[in-house]
Amino acid sequence: VIGHPKYQESKRIAIFLSMPDEIQTEEIINDIFKQGKECFIPRYKPHSNHMDMLKLSSAEDISSLTLTSWNILQPSDDDSVREEALAGGGLDLIFMPGLGFDKKGNRLGRGKGYYDTYLERCMKHPSGKPYTIALAFREQICESVPVAENDVQVDEILYEDC
């Protein structure tokens, strides 16, 4: 990931905070700050498909986040101090989680459509749609995954031996 050309050229990067069954992103987050890049993480709105990408000030900032009912750390609902990526310069790159992927770039998420809805909003931002890279285990690569018409394909899937 860290040697990937899209990562190297990106300045504003969104990345998920890993759940136990996902690729662990802690080292990538540490490198984002080490390289002087800007790091944004998801804040999901429960009972909706709305998600924002809010800026972290440092890797240590993660310890100040709130644990949700899904066991995900994220900025609290009343946190209005952090920059939302689309209120500023947009994003260059989004690292995406998922449950399954196919080699055509289709992604099976957790069913709420958070990333698809967010990418639709990105397409309306002056900086345009960021490059998307899904981070996966080899076992998550399938022949095909179910897709709906509002699903947005990922640009690339990184997994072991790819």
Side-chain angles (χ1 to χ4, degrees), residues 16 30 38 45 62 64 82 86 94 102 109 112 124-125 147-148 153 155 160:
F16 58 97
N30 288 337
E38 294 177 86
K45 289 227 186 331
I62 294 170
S64 73
R82 295 175 191 275
L86 296 180
I94 299 180
D102 66 29
K112 300 282 188 187
K124 295 175 183 146
H125 189 274
V147 291
Q153 289 183 315
D155 294 310
E160 295 170 301

Side-chain angles (χ1 to χ4, degrees), residues 18-121:
S18 311
M19 294 174 72
D21 62 346
E22 294 173 331
I23 294 289
Q24 297 302 297
T25 57
E26 186 178 338
E27 286 182 42
I28 301 167
I29 293 167
N30 288 337
D31 191 74
I32 290 170
F33 286 105
K34 186 175 143 202
Q35 301 287 337
K37 300 173 185 290
E38 294 177 86
C39 184
F40 295 82
I41 58 165
R43 177 173 67 189
Y44 307 95
K45 289 227 186 331
H47 315 295
S48 78
N49 64 356
H50 186 85
M51 173 178 78
D52 290 314
M53 290 291 185
L54 300 179
K55 189 173 182 178
L56 280 180
S57 58
S58 66
E60 295 73 33
D61 190 13
I62 294 170
S63 64
S64 73
L65 301 175
T66 308
L67 201 58
T68 68
S69 59
W70 296 329
N71 230 15
I72 298 172
L73 287 170
Q74 70 176 24
S76 65
D77 289 341
D78 59 0
D79 185 336
S80 58
V81 179
R82 295 175 191 275
E83 175 192 342
E84 202 295 314
L86 296 180
L91 291 165
D92 302 318
L93 174 64
I94 299 180
F95 286 110
M96 297 172 65
L99 298 177
F101 308 90
D102 66 29
K103 292 187 178 177
K104 293 183 221 107
N106 294 311
R107 173 185 160 273
L108 179 67
R110 295 185 185 265
K112 300 282 188 187
Y114 287 112
Y115 279 90
D116 300 308
T117 305
Y118 192 77
L119 288 168
E120 290 293 331
R121 287 172 49 212

